[in-house]
Amino acid sequence: MKVWLLSISRVLARLSLFIMWLAGLGLVAMTSIVAYQVYMRFIVNSSPAWTEAGAIMIMSWFIFLGAAVGVREKFHMGFDVLLYVLPDSALPWLRSISDIFIFIFAAGMVVYGSELAIRFWSTTIPVLGLPTSFTYFPIIVSGALMCLFIIERMALRLAGEPVDAASPSEITEV
């Protein structure tokens, strides 16, 4: 079972890398759109209507996708101060509690983001011609990815894999 779990983890690592590159491309695309908008507004004196809404839409995608990658790579916020005063044996327990809370939050993103997407499917973003629900899709996708990544980490931890960072007592000052 452990070999199967590790192979799934490798697939999820590739998925995470792909998502990070996709988010990076989104950042480049948004920057290009904003630069185009500035050029059109101040040089040509004719700003396209779709650029602001398009840039915001792309921005929400790369922010939420980046947040999902951050959860997998453990770049998210945490309350690590307790790790400095508790014994090293508390590390997996505290990380597991943190993972459970992140999972609950991410599941809420999926549930409530889906409710918003369903509610606003019949309205459109005028300048883009897309359903307003497209605004909420990044929340749903990111929440689902976060849930997947947390399940992966919890399963690896239960299988005995070293998924937690070094304990504070093992960290030396530079």
Side-chain angles (χ1 to χ4, degrees):
M1 176 164 146
K2 195 171 185 180
V3 173
W4 178 76
L5 187 59
L6 290 174
S7 65
I8 289 175
S9 184
R10 282 190 293 276
V11 170
L12 291 177
R14 281 188 235 119
L15 175 64
S16 177
L17 182 63
F18 173 75
I19 292 167
M20 186 173 60
W21 275 98
L22 194 61
L25 288 172
L27 177 61
V28 170
M30 184 205 69
T31 304
S32 300
I33 289 170
V34 169
Y36 174 70
Q37 179 184 25
V38 169
Y39 171 78
M40 292 299 289
R41 178 179 293 159
F42 293 109
I43 305 300
V44 179
N45 204 24
S46 175
S47 182
W50 62 269
T51 54
E52 183 178 352
I56 291 171
M57 177 76 66
I58 292 171
M59 183 177 65
S60 67
W61 273 101
F62 75 73
I63 286 173
F64 279 104
L65 290 177
V69 171
V71 165
R72 184 173 194 284
E73 302 300 325
K74 294 180 270 192
F75 293 138
H76 55 82
M77 291 179 12
F79 299 103
D80 292 344
V81 72
L82 282 178
L83 298 177
Y84 290 96
V85 296
L86 294 176
D88 291 345
S89 60
L91 178 68
W93 292 99
L94 291 173
R95 297 281 192 220
S96 295
I97 291 168
S98 175
D99 286 345
I100 289 167
F101 280 111
I102 293 168
F103 182 87
I104 291 168
F105 181 82
M109 289 171 62
V110 173
V111 170
Y112 295 112
S114 297
E115 286 181 10
L116 287 168
I118 291 167
R119 178 174 290 160
F120 292 104
W121 183 257
S122 60
T123 62
T124 60
I125 302 169
V127 294
L128 296 177
L130 296 171
T132 307
S133 296
F134 276 57
T135 306
Y136 304 110
F137 288 160
I139 299 169
I140 301 165
V141 172
S142 175
L145 288 168
M146 287 179 189
C147 287
L148 182 66
F149 293 150
I150 290 296
I151 289 169
E152 171 201 16
R153 187 162 49 235
M154 293 291 284
L156 287 170
R157 187 178 290 121
L158 288 173
E161 288 298 311
V163 295
D164 297 314
S167 65
S169 64
E170 297 170 354
I171 298 173
T172 58
E173 292 290 325
V174 177

